[in-house]
């Protein structure tokens, strides 16, 4: 796979059993970037509903010698991001990955702009959580994603995206026969 692909990252056991979603996205140079959106550590539950300070991470990961279509190599690349999480590294929490083949350069640009913006949106479990930010970013490149999944629960959204992506791959395989 070459191009501006994306990989949905899922942690089924995070946030209770609701899960946590993130993203790896490839730019037009073939470089991979890790995206994380979450609430600042220690935020009270009522602030997490109404809106609280967000943590946004958007960093390049070194993929030299790694095959980013291989699950073990993807997990190896994600270990580089643990430094941003202090005592709570995330790479070991990843349970599922969904490789999204396509042109996700607009997703990369959107996330880069969001990261570089002097104004940071608030994190909210209801209206701006990890899965919503991940889905909105992907929808910048593939609007269908915004309609395939509308759940605010990360684990539910992951399964919706995963099923849709599997169907897309099957249809593409049939059409290219």
């Amino acid at each position: 796979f070459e191009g501006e692909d994306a990989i949905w990252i899922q942690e089924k056991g995070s946030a209770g059993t609701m899960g946590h979603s993130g993203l790896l996205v490839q730019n037009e140079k073939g470089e991979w970037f890790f995206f994380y959106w979450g609430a600042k550590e220690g935020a009270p539950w009522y602030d997490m509903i109404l809106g609280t300070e967000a943590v946004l991470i958007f960093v390049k990961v070194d993929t030299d010698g790694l095959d980013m279509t291989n699950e073990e190599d993807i997990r190896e690349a994600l270990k580089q991001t643990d430094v941003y999480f202090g005592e709570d590294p995330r790479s070991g929490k990843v349970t599922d990955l969904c490789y999204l083949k396509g042109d996700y350069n607009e997703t990369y640009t959107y996330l880069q702009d969001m990261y570089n913006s002097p104004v940071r949106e608030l994190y909210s479990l209801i209206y701006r959580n990890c899965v919503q930010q991940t889905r909105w970013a992907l929808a910048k490149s593939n609007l269908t994603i915004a309609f395939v999944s509308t759940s605010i629960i990360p684990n539910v959204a992951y399964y919706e995206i995963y099923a849709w992506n599997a169907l897309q791959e099957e249809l593409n395989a049939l059409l290219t026969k």
Side-chain angles (χ1 to χ4, degrees), residues 59-160:
V59 295
K60 182 180 170 189
V61 293
D62 180 11
T63 60
D64 286 345
L66 299 176
D67 174 2
M68 294 303 283
T69 64
N70 177 287
E71 194 168 312
E72 290 300 315
D73 284 356
I74 295 168
R75 291 176 186 281
E76 190 63 33
L78 287 172
K79 287 179 184 176
Q80 298 169 45
T81 66
D82 285 343
V83 67
Y84 298 97
F85 298 102
E87 299 293 320
D88 191 27
R90 310 288 306 195
S91 68
K93 296 179 181 186
V94 174
T95 56
D96 295 272
L97 300 162
C98 182
Y99 197 100
L100 302 164
K101 186 177 179 184
D103 180 353
Y104 287 92
N105 197 54
E106 290 299 317
T107 297
Y108 165 79
T109 301
Y110 170 78
L111 293 173
Q112 185 179 46
D113 290 347
M114 186 167 65
Y115 181 75
N116 291 327
S117 173
V119 177
R120 184 77 69 231
E121 299 287 341
L122 294 177
Y123 174 93
S124 167
L125 287 171
I126 305 300
Y127 62 87
R128 194 174 296 281
N129 70 19
C130 62
V131 75
Q132 291 163 319
Q133 288 289 63
T134 298
R135 188 173 44 234
W136 289 333
L138 289 170
K140 295 296 181 183
S141 296
N142 186 340
L143 188 57
T144 304
I145 288 173
F147 300 101
V148 167
S149 170
T150 57
S151 178
I152 65 170
I153 299 170
N155 284 340
V156 172
Y158 172 79
Y159 286 117
E160 292 169 340

Side-chain angles (χ1 to χ4, degrees), residues 11 20 22-23 34-39 55-58 85 90:
E11 302 172 9
H20 178 81
L23 197 57
F34 170 74
F35 167 69
Y36 172 90
W37 175 264
V55 174
L56 168 61
I57 299 169
F58 188 62
F85 298 102
R90 310 288 306 195

